[in-house]
Amino acid sequence: IQLHAIDTEKFLIGKSVLDEQVLQGALSTLDAELLPDYISPDAVPEYRKGLAKALFYKFILSLAKAKVKKSLISGGDLLIRPLSSAKQTYDTDKSVWPLNQPVPKLEALAQCSGEAAYINDHPAIPGELFGAFVVTTIGQGNISNMDSKEALGLGMVAQLTFQVQRGVKHID
């Protein structure tokens, strides 16, 4: 596993990273050099690559405060956030009390304490299927025909059929 951007380091030797042409060249070299792979449950490779480039740029901005446009200076600062009180307040309508009384989620304590187990906390099971939502721009409609031959030909797609019998959905 490579922990340094070696090509980018070599590109920058003897150059001023505060020069815009050098910075653009360093970012291009870094872009070509970063090749993250897909590792579940980490973020997708495109996001991790963009994050690495953004952190590099943020570092450069922090070095160059005197030479950077005023609109970019804050990009090099660390975020300063006040201490969280973990307190929540809710506006409620007293006329419908207790119907609108705030009630904590049953899972809240387990989630906050780290005790809750999520699907990505478990190793993948051989033959496990993953689903994805398919969205449409049509609010209400009926599917009249669906041809899944092309998708099934990819070798990474499984066909599930739904049958409705007496109001209960069955998956084959």
Side-chain angles (χ1 to χ4, degrees):
I1 296 175
Q2 184 175 330
L3 300 176
H4 290 276
I6 296 168
D7 294 341
T8 306
E9 290 175 355
K10 287 178 183 175
F11 174 82
L12 289 172
I13 292 174
K15 298 176 183 165
S16 171
V17 75
L18 304 181
D19 178 271
E20 188 165 342
Q21 297 294 330
V22 173
L23 177 59
Q24 292 300 324
L27 286 169
S28 294
T29 305
L30 185 61
D31 183 66
E33 186 173 17
L34 293 173
L35 302 170
D37 31 335
Y38 185 80
I39 303 169
S40 183
D42 291 349
V44 295
E46 296 81 14
Y47 171 79
R48 294 193 341 259
K49 185 176 190 174
L51 179 63
K53 289 168 40 182
L55 289 172
F56 176 73
Y57 185 68
K58 182 177 183 72
F59 171 71
I60 300 305
L61 285 177
S62 72
L63 295 176
K65 288 194 176 217
K67 298 181 180 185
V68 174
K69 290 186 224 173
K70 191 173 183 177
S71 62
L72 300 177
I73 289 175
S74 66
D77 293 338
L78 293 176
L79 295 177
I80 300 171
R81 296 184 178 150
L83 182 63
S84 173
S85 67
K87 178 181 174 183
Q88 291 183 328
T89 57
Y90 302 93
D91 293 327
T92 57
D93 182 355
K94 301 280 186 199
S95 67
V96 291
W97 186 267
L99 294 177
N100 62 352
Q101 178 181 5
V103 177
K105 249 176 34 170
L106 294 175
E107 308 88 6
L109 291 177
Q111 290 173 337
C112 292
S113 66
E115 292 178 41
Y118 296 93
I119 193 68
N120 284 340
D121 295 336
H122 302 285
I125 299 169
E128 182 175 4
L129 297 177
F130 297 89
F133 287 105
V134 179
V135 296
T136 180
T137 56
I138 300 170
Q140 276 188 320
N142 295 316
I143 299 174
S144 59
N145 185 21
M146 186 181 343
D147 184 5
S148 58
K149 288 178 191 154
E150 184 179 344
L152 290 169
L154 296 174
M156 301 182 305
V157 177
Q159 184 171 8
L160 299 177
T161 57
F162 291 89
Q163 297 174 349
V164 179
Q165 295 175 348
R166 288 183 241 141
V168 180
K169 291 184 180 177
H170 298 277
I171 301 175
D172 293 332

